[in-house]
Amino acid sequence: MVGTSVHQNIFLPQPKDNNRRRGAIDIGSREQECISLLKRCKNMEELKQSHCLTLKLGLVLSPFCTGNLISTCALSDWGSMDYACLIFNQLDSPNSFEFNTMIRGHIKDMNLEEAITFYDLMLQTGIKPNNFTYPSLLKGCAYLHRLKEGMQFHGHVFKIGVQDDVFVQNSLISMYGKCGELKNSYSVFEQMADVDKSLASWSALIAAHASKEMWSECLGLFKELTSQKCWRAEESVCVSVLSSCTNLGALDLGRSTHGFLIKNLSGLNVIMETSLLDMYLKCGSLTKGLSIFERMKVKNQWSYSVVISGLAFHGCGREALRVFSEMLEQEFEPDEVVYVGVLTACSHAGLVHEGLQLFEKMKDEHQIKPTIHHYGCLVDLLSKAGKVREAFELVKSMPMEANDVLWYSLLGACRVHQDVELGELVAEKLLQLNPQSTSAYVMLSNMYAKAQRWEHVGLTRGEMAQKGLTKTPGFSFIQVKRKVYQFVSNDLTWPQSEGIPDMVQQMEWQLKFEGYYPDTSEVLFDVDEEEKRERLSRHSQKLAIAFGLIHTSQDSPIRIVRSMRMCKDCHTYTKMISAIYRRRITVRDRNRFHHFEDGLALVKIIGAV
């Protein structure tokens, strides 16, 4: 009987507690109602009404409701961390979700100190941090470049035992990268299991190298990434790769990336299109860049800024001003960055009157307070027009102190126009700001050399030697078969130099028949003419051209990026080589693009794709 009784108690229908069930349903529906209202909130006034309803319905003790209330208040663009703190302070026993939300909210507001305060409170309360806690904290350290705190959190990650979590590892890679500690980024990446290395992991590592302008390494990592199973087209990775191509002048790699994006993405947003536009313009393909700009369905202020700066870099000043006028017609408000591009365009095209007018328009019509960058553009504009003394007076009248970049620009103008007296004064100002400026000594020495004041050259170089300063030799990049090669002036020691001396000799032999004679005034050393000609022949740009002629097919264009401004001899040399070997040659130096074809130096080449 006992067995039968138990059996019956288990399987017979149990009496229903209808009141209890009805109450549970009511509470659940009320919670859902509150959450639904929270999702529809668009401002703090509506959120406060939702909060009142939560209190009225007695749901203030519901972790589900209070957690969502704090989350909406802390993480929404229109939210208030002050109000979120008021709600949080009313909680008797906040859980890890609520602590993590408060930390995320403060990080969103770039308030790392308050986020750390909540983290400390979390530990004091006995709530164990988890894999959602540290990514937010590390993100804050990354944005604010707080390496010390980031390393401390890394130590806590091991203490808590979440060091193998993928999200935490990716955050560590990003944090170390943005704080400039690439070695630690690599260390975290290498410690990850291969199966855990996601696209986000690779993206963080590539972005870390991009932040340090290690463009060749970025492309190497991208090549390795594309062989991984996790690889797919992803915006942040592709933007970093395009930036690398842009800075290295690697047009072929940039075009390959463009083709990959078209093949793997259903459409390109304005960020990707503008990155492509920037890449083509800065890699010398002006026509292709402008065609992308014309086809863009959506344009923003950044798009116009990029195309204006790109046109300026190609010496197309009037075209840049036309695009600027179009930008104003489309009712995009120009900012200080756009005006830097416009003034640079005037400088490169020699449009002095237009540049001065635009400077006044920037101040009066658009109420933009000129920065030192705008004054720098004006100084460059006047200097290139030979108005060096006027540029110096402008510098003296500026409302802010001139920086070393501006003094260096003015010193360069003094060298070009051989105003030795003013150059000495400018060099003195520059060395007061930066006593270790190698550039100041080199420019002053070059100016003395051009004036054949060899005694002053010796004194200047002796002072450099006393301070332990050495001149960094110029270098040039050239891309051949999707690989970037670097050449340094007067350096023939690298493995790929085989054949280059012979090619340089052949080029100079051909040039003699065309009437070329080396401009030895560019060699600023007191040596004989033969040594001067030898030094000229080993400029990095000429070595790169020789390599390009050897390793590229006939009639294919040659594109070079160089670290320093092109000298007059290299300009003449390259112009004549373009005719002799029937090559289109594009050179991007520190200031602008130079296009050469059929023995001519052109402002732009239509169809240069």
Side-chain angles (χ1 to χ4, degrees):
M1 292 290 295
V2 174
T4 304
S5 175
V6 172
H7 182 83
Q8 287 174 341
N9 286 338
I10 293 174
F11 288 100
L12 288 174
Q14 299 296 310
K16 293 182 179 178
D17 186 346
N18 290 326
N19 291 331
R20 184 178 178 183
R21 281 175 57 83
R22 191 179 299 113
I25 291 170
D26 288 345
I27 292 173
S29 63
R30 287 174 181 177
E31 287 183 338
Q32 292 299 327
E33 184 181 353
C34 287
I35 301 305
S36 179
L37 282 173
L38 281 172
K39 288 180 179 179
R40 295 201 296 270
C41 289
K42 296 179 181 178
N43 51 54
M44 281 302 300
E45 191 61 35
E46 292 178 0
L47 183 130
K48 288 175 182 178
Q49 291 174 5
S50 297
H51 189 193
C52 287
L53 180 63
T54 303
L55 296 170
K56 184 178 178 180
L57 295 176
L59 297 174
V60 70
L61 297 179
S62 166
F64 189 59
C65 283
T66 53
N68 278 277
L69 185 64
I70 293 173
S71 178
T72 304
C73 187
L75 303 180
S76 299
D77 292 335
W78 44 261
S80 165
M81 281 309 298
D82 290 337
Y83 197 80
C85 287
L86 290 174
I87 300 171
F88 183 87
N89 289 337
Q90 298 300 313
L91 301 177
D92 291 331
S93 302
N95 57 31
S96 61
F97 175 81
E98 289 151 350
F99 270 110
N100 287 342
T101 300
M102 294 302 291
I103 289 171
R104 284 180 62 196
H106 283 300
I107 293 299
K108 181 178 72 71
D109 288 350
M110 294 296 171
N111 193 338
L112 182 61
E113 281 72 20
E114 282 299 315
I116 292 174
T117 298
F118 272 90
Y119 175 72
D120 289 339
L121 182 61
M122 188 179 190
L123 294 175
Q124 292 167 16
T125 310
I127 304 295
K128 186 178 180 181
N130 54 33
N131 59 329
F132 295 105
T133 309
Y134 293 104
S136 297
L137 291 166
L138 291 167
K139 182 179 180 181
C141 295
Y143 283 153
L144 299 172
H145 303 286
R146 300 281 284 272
L147 177 62
K148 181 180 177 182
E149 289 86 346
M151 295 181 76
Q152 289 174 341
F153 286 128
H154 193 177
H156 284 220
V157 161
F158 277 93
K159 287 181 181 179
I160 299 299
V162 291
Q163 68 273 12
D164 294 327
D165 181 83
V166 174
F167 296 106
V168 174
Q169 290 171 320
N170 290 345
S171 299
L172 284 166
I173 294 170
S174 179
M175 183 275 294
Y176 280 123
K178 289 181 178 177
C179 290
E181 291 291 323
L182 291 183
K183 185 177 179 181
N184 289 341
S185 276
Y186 257 124
S187 178
V188 175
F189 183 79
E190 290 301 319
Q191 287 169 14
M192 294 177 71
D194 287 341
V195 293
D196 290 336
K197 290 177 182 175
S198 63
L199 183 59
S201 313
W202 285 93
S203 177
L205 194 61
I206 290 172
H209 284 79
S211 68
K212 298 292 286 183
E213 299 185 357
M214 299 175 69
W215 309 117
S216 296
E217 289 78 1
C218 280
L219 294 180
L221 287 168
F222 178 67
K223 184 177 180 181
E224 191 176 347
L225 167 60
T226 54
S227 66
Q228 306 295 315
K229 291 181 180 179
C230 68
W231 164 241
R232 67 179 188 279
E234 201 271 339
E235 183 179 302
S236 63
V237 175
C238 292
V239 167
S240 293
V241 170
L242 287 172
S243 294
S244 302
C245 296
T246 300
N247 284 277
L248 290 172
L251 179 61
D252 290 343
L253 285 169
R255 282 197 291 209
S256 297
T257 306
H258 186 185
F260 183 87
L261 291 172
I262 292 173
K263 184 178 178 181
N264 290 276
L265 294 178
S266 56
L268 302 180
N269 60 28
V270 68
I271 295 174
M272 288 303 307
E273 286 187 313
T274 304
S275 295
L276 284 166
L277 168 64
D278 192 39
M279 183 274 295
Y280 279 114
L281 290 175
K282 288 181 179 175
C283 285
S285 188
L286 180 61
T287 302
K288 181 66 176 178
L290 292 178
S291 70
I292 289 176
F293 180 72
E294 293 300 326
R295 292 199 308 268
M296 288 175 70
K297 294 179 181 178
V298 179
K299 297 174 184 175
N300 58 18
Q301 188 187 58
W302 182 36
S303 309
Y304 276 101
S305 180
V306 165
V307 79
I308 289 169
S309 297
L311 287 165
F313 212 49
H314 283 268
C316 305
R318 296 202 178 275
E319 184 68 11
L321 296 187
R322 184 197 67 75
V323 174
F324 178 64
S325 297
E326 178 188 313
M327 177 184 178
L328 298 180
E329 289 171 7
Q330 295 297 321
E331 299 185 350
F332 286 105
E333 189 70 16
D335 61 8
E336 59 182 51
V337 176
V338 171
Y339 264 107
V340 168
V342 172
L343 293 172
T344 301
C346 292
S347 175
H348 287 325
L351 304 174
V352 178
H353 178 68
E354 291 85 345
L356 294 173
Q357 278 190 327
L358 283 164
F359 185 77
E360 295 303 320
K361 182 175 183 176
M362 177 185 74
K363 293 190 295 181
D364 299 336
E365 287 188 32
H366 294 113
Q367 301 296 305
I368 296 174
K369 186 178 180 180
T371 66
I372 198 163
H373 300 294
H374 300 115
Y375 281 106
C377 291
L378 277 193
V379 168
D380 196 47
L381 175 68
L382 294 170
S383 298
K384 285 181 177 175
K387 302 175 183 288
V388 185
R389 295 277 170 169
E390 288 182 39
F392 180 65
E393 292 301 319
L394 174 65
V395 172
K396 291 199 297 183
S397 67
M398 291 190 326
M400 73 281 290
E401 288 292 324
N403 60 15
D404 56 349
V405 176
L406 201 151
W407 285 121
Y408 178 74
S409 175
L410 192 56
L411 181 58
C414 291
R415 184 187 68 84
V416 171
H417 297 286
Q418 275 304 102
D419 192 333
V420 178
E421 182 184 352
L422 181 59
E424 288 176 325
L425 179 59
V426 172
E428 183 182 341
K429 295 280 187 182
L430 181 53
L431 289 169
Q432 284 175 0
L433 278 176
N434 184 4
Q436 300 298 311
S437 173
T438 303
S439 301
Y441 282 109
V442 170
M443 293 287 279
L444 188 60
S445 172
N446 290 350
M447 196 159 49
Y448 286 139
K450 271 206 163 184
Q452 297 193 344
R453 291 167 59 173
W454 299 112
E455 183 182 348
H456 288 81
V457 172
L459 290 171
T460 306
R461 292 186 180 272
E463 195 172 338
M464 278 181 69
Q466 259 188 340
K467 290 187 175 182
L469 304 176
T470 56
K471 179 184 176 183
T472 303
F475 57 87
S476 297
F477 292 111
I478 183 172
Q479 182 190 349
V480 174
K481 297 177 183 177
R482 301 189 67 183
K483 187 174 180 181
V484 179
Y485 298 89
Q486 178 179 336
F487 291 86
V488 179
S489 293
N490 293 299
D491 180 18
L492 290 173
T493 60
W494 65 306
Q496 286 87 353
S497 65
E498 185 178 350
I500 292 178
D502 292 338
M503 190 67 205
V504 169
Q505 191 174 8
Q506 181 185 327
M507 289 158 63
E508 296 205 341
W509 180 259
Q510 295 275 4
L511 285 164
K512 281 182 182 178
F513 287 106
E514 299 298 325
Y516 164 77
Y517 190 80
D519 184 358
T520 54
S521 66
E522 293 293 327
V523 181
L524 304 173
F525 292 92
D526 189 14
V527 293
D528 61 34
E529 285 297 306
E530 185 178 350
E531 174 66 17
K532 287 182 177 181
R533 286 195 294 271
E534 184 68 21
R535 285 177 176 271
L536 277 178
S537 70
R538 295 198 299 266
H539 277 194
S540 64
Q541 180 174 321
K542 296 174 182 178
L543 300 179
I545 290 173
F547 184 80
L549 290 172
I550 294 170
H551 294 282
T552 60
S553 58
Q554 194 171 358
D555 298 328
S556 63
I558 293 174
R559 298 181 181 88
I560 294 168
V561 178
R562 54 177 293 155
S563 63
M564 304 176 73
R565 186 172 181 173
M566 190 190 309
C567 70
K568 287 193 297 182
D569 181 72
C570 281
H571 191 278
T572 303
Y573 189 102
T574 306
K575 182 172 63 175
M576 297 179 75
I577 286 293
S578 72
I580 293 170
Y581 290 90
R582 296 181 182 178
R583 296 292 192 103
R584 180 186 298 158
I585 303 175
T586 301
V587 181
R588 186 179 109 193
D589 69 8
R590 191 175 56 196
N591 292 331
R592 53 163 292 179
F593 272 101
H594 304 265
H595 298 287
F596 304 92
E597 187 174 24
D598 296 329
L600 299 173
L602 307 175
V603 172
K604 65 175 181 177
I605 300 174
I606 301 301
V609 297

